[in-house]
Amino acid sequence: QVQLQESGPGLVNPSETLSLTCSVSVGSIKGNYWSWIRQPPQKGLEWIGYIYYTGNANYNPSLKSRVTMSVDTSSNQFSLKLTSVTAADTAVYYCARLKDGYKNDYWGQGTLVIVSS
Amino acid sequence: DIQMTQSPSSLSASVGDRVTITCRASQDITNSLAWYQQKPGKAPRLLIYGASRLESGVPSRFSGSRSGTDHTLTISSLQPEDFATYYCQQYYSNLFTFGPGTKVDIK
């Protein structure tokens, strides 16, 4: 079954860029859509966006000006960049496979990113 | 943007109870709705997609239905492992949105 693992800094300074990578194992990144979802502490889930393995992406309008997603098929990884972060971006960030472009059926364990100086 | 609301925001129930959670969309999303279960400290788990299609491996006590813009998740007989928070998510538009969640805890 597909396995996903998020990686990246757990602490980011305000106004800087948050960068995370999701490594996909036991399965190919090709032919699939891939999601990023986040969850602030003690709050609900927020959809960040998704990307097709070809690089076509859709982003949450509230984050669109700050978000970039990319795919590296040679490494079987996809990535998230969020610029100009503030404390409001502190959250657990999840990556997931978006099967058939609509259902997140496999998830990473999540990684906590804290925005603080 | 399509907005999703859920009711109730929380509920207390006993093992064996029938539990119903409702998710309402701000517009018709047809059957483009999924339900997820999340336990503390864990990633969400897909339960239902297409409003009523059970994901592989999910117990049959979970079911989903739709009436207009109202979507319902039903747990026919609540089990100890079902105490969790449940989220709906629409994918009708290519800009997805989650509902705020419903926490199910032990009475």
Side-chain angles (χ1 to χ4, degrees):
Chain A
Q1 79 183 28
V2 178
Q3 295 179 1
L4 301 98
Q5 178 68 59
E6 305 90 350
S7 59
L11 181 65
V12 180
N13 291 318
S15 80
E16 295 189 347
T17 296
L18 178 159
S19 296
L20 295 174
T21 295
C22 184
S23 299
V24 180
S25 57
V26 194
S28 174
I29 204 164
K30 292 183 178 179
N32 285 294
Y33 292 84
W34 304 93
S35 295
W36 287 100
I37 295 146
R38 71 180 183 179
Q39 185 170 36
Q42 306 307 315
K43 293 189 177 181
L45 301 171
E46 181 180 26
W47 175 71
I48 300 173
Y50 62 80
I51 187 166
Y52 195 45
Y53 79 101
T54 57
N56 292 331
N58 279 305
Y59 304 139
N60 186 325
S62 68
L63 300 170
K64 187 174 182 178
S65 64
R66 299 193 291 130
V67 170
T68 302
M69 295 181 185
S70 59
V71 173
D72 183 348
T73 55
S74 63
S75 301
N76 232 33
Q77 295 177 330
F78 61 104
S79 299
L80 169 71
K81 290 188 186 299
L82 182 65
T83 62
S84 304
V85 297
T86 70
D89 295 309
T90 293
V92 174
Y93 285 76
Y94 294 101
C95 61
R97 185 178 76 165
L98 187 65
K99 177 71 172 172
D100 298 327
Y102 62 87
K103 56 176 183 173
N104 293 295
D105 60 348
Y106 290 101
W107 295 65
Q109 64 185 22
T111 187
L112 174 63
V113 179
I114 297 172
V115 178
S116 175
S117 55
Chain B
D1 297 0
I2 298 174
Q3 306 301 317
M4 308 299 292
T5 58
Q6 281 183 240
S7 60
S9 57
S10 65
L11 65 90
S12 296
S14 300
V15 172
D17 284 352
R18 181 181 181 89
V19 169
T20 300
I21 298 168
T22 299
C23 179
R24 176 170 290 174
S26 59
Q27 66 179 72
D28 184 9
I29 58 170
T30 64
N31 289 327
S32 302
L33 186 106
W35 289 97
Y36 295 87
Q37 174 194 66
Q38 188 181 33
K39 297 181 180 179
K42 300 294 186 181
R45 172 196 182 193
L46 175 67
L47 298 177
I48 286 171
Y49 61 95
S52 61
R53 296 176 180 265
L54 205 63
E55 176 68 357
S56 176
V58 174
S60 60
R61 62 181 180 273
F62 291 93
S63 64
S65 62
R66 169 200 169 202
S67 176
T69 59
D70 285 350
H71 296 259
T72 300
L73 173 70
T74 299
I75 309 172
S76 61
S77 178
L78 198 67
Q79 297 302 301
E81 61 268 31
D82 300 337
F83 292 97
T85 300
Y86 294 84
Y87 296 92
C88 61
Q89 181 224 312
Q90 68 81 18
Y91 48 87
Y92 179 77
S93 79
N94 61 358
L95 305 176
F96 299 173
T97 43
F98 285 96
T102 295
K103 184 176 181 180
V104 177
D105 61 22
I106 301 172
K107 182 182 288 184

